[in-house]
Amino acid sequence: MTKFKGLTNNQLKIIAMLSMLMDHAGLLLFPQLEFLRVAGRLAFPIFAYMIAEGCRYTKHRGKYLSLISVMAVGIQAVYFFAQGSLYQNILVTFSLSVAVIFAIDSFIAHKSLATCAVMLISLSGVIFLSLVAPFLWEDQGFVIDYGFWGILLPVAVYYIPGKWKRLAATAVILLLRGILYGELKWFALLALPLLAAYNGQRGKAKLKYLFYIFYPAHLVLLYIIELWWGI
């Protein structure tokens, strides 16, 4: 019998992608099947955790942030022109998380007025966009996906040392989201056992860009099916 060695970064991302596919299929095609939305709650905690891991291990920070940000802007542009929506996609959320992490790290490393200013601007921008702007632009439907807590989770996972402390912080943030927003948010806690099984390894396959391709591709496919079915 092969001994279970835990789940790799790649395996967790694949689980999260399948979860996200089920969630969006439930949202767009099968709203009557609530279990799809429940299964979809696994995606965000896993991706948030892996974003923190990406920040921790990337050798090209500028390229990492640029990739996520460019994808976020591109997908957001499609959202706006297709639906007039100002709902900010999850890559916008993660772009803000990564920007804050890199800004704080830069200040810790250099402790200059310039890096302090960048850090404060980054933190102020996150607070404004996630907590203030949704009220100012409520009529336009401006919302950051997963809001302030969504931005905070990768930051917490990045800075808190030790696997079990990171899991505890993740649990606290997910609990707070459940208390504040209720409904299906509680089911995000089901991701914790999967994250507890994370072995810290990337995995053999090079799936670096798979998520960035899968995210827009699966949305396009689901929207085409939605239009075809006339839902």
Side-chain angles (χ1 to χ4, degrees):
M1 181 180 293
T2 303
K3 184 179 179 181
F4 178 63
K5 297 181 180 180
L7 296 171
T8 65
N9 185 305
N10 285 344
Q11 289 168 334
L12 283 168
K13 284 182 179 177
I14 290 171
I15 291 171
M17 282 189 287
L18 292 174
S19 169
M20 181 171 60
L21 176 61
M22 294 174 71
D23 183 39
H24 291 157
L27 177 66
L28 296 172
L29 305 178
F30 307 106
Q32 72 278 16
L33 301 180
E34 192 173 78
F35 77 89
L36 292 174
R37 305 302 312 283
V38 170
R41 297 311 96 203
L42 299 177
F44 170 72
I46 295 174
F47 279 132
Y49 201 99
M50 293 305 130
I51 283 289
E53 288 289 278
C55 290
R56 185 173 289 112
Y57 294 114
T58 185
K59 295 179 181 178
H60 306 284
R61 291 192 154 199
K63 184 178 178 181
Y64 186 68
L65 177 57
S66 297
L67 175 61
I68 298 175
S69 300
V70 168
M71 289 290 296
V73 171
I75 293 170
Q76 201 58 47
V78 172
Y79 276 6
F80 181 76
F81 288 112
Q83 300 180 338
S85 174
L86 288 180
Y87 191 98
Q88 305 297 300
N89 69 80
I90 192 62
L91 288 181
V92 173
T93 308
F94 289 150
S95 295
L96 294 171
S97 300
V98 174
V100 166
I101 288 169
F102 290 169
I104 294 173
D105 271 2
S106 181
F107 173 69
I108 292 172
H110 302 290
K111 293 184 174 63
S112 66
L113 285 176
T115 57
C116 180
V118 170
M119 179 182 68
L120 292 175
I121 290 170
S122 298
L123 293 172
S124 300
V126 163
I127 291 171
F128 175 79
L129 289 172
S130 61
L131 298 177
V132 179
F135 291 99
L136 294 178
W137 302 326
E138 183 177 4
D139 292 342
Q140 288 75 37
F142 182 92
V143 177
I144 298 289
D145 200 13
Y146 285 89
F148 174 77
W149 301 104
I151 299 168
L152 177 63
L153 183 51
V155 178
V157 171
Y158 179 84
Y159 283 107
I160 293 175
K163 175 179 177 178
W164 300 109
K165 290 181 180 178
R166 290 172 191 155
L167 284 172
T170 301
V172 169
I173 291 173
L174 295 178
L175 279 170
L176 287 171
R177 288 196 74 248
I179 292 170
L180 290 171
Y181 303 107
E183 297 180 359
L184 297 175
K185 306 298 186 294
W186 294 104
F187 290 102
L189 291 165
L190 295 175
L192 291 174
L194 295 171
L195 291 173
Y198 176 47
N199 60 18
Q201 299 177 12
R202 186 186 70 178
K204 295 181 180 180
K206 293 183 178 181
L207 304 179
K208 183 177 180 181
Y209 298 107
L210 178 60
F211 168 68
Y212 302 108
I213 298 171
F214 178 83
Y215 182 63
H218 92 283
L219 288 175
V220 169
L221 177 61
L222 290 174
Y223 281 125
I224 290 173
I225 295 173
E226 182 186 26
L227 291 172
W228 181 50
W229 281 0
I231 296 177

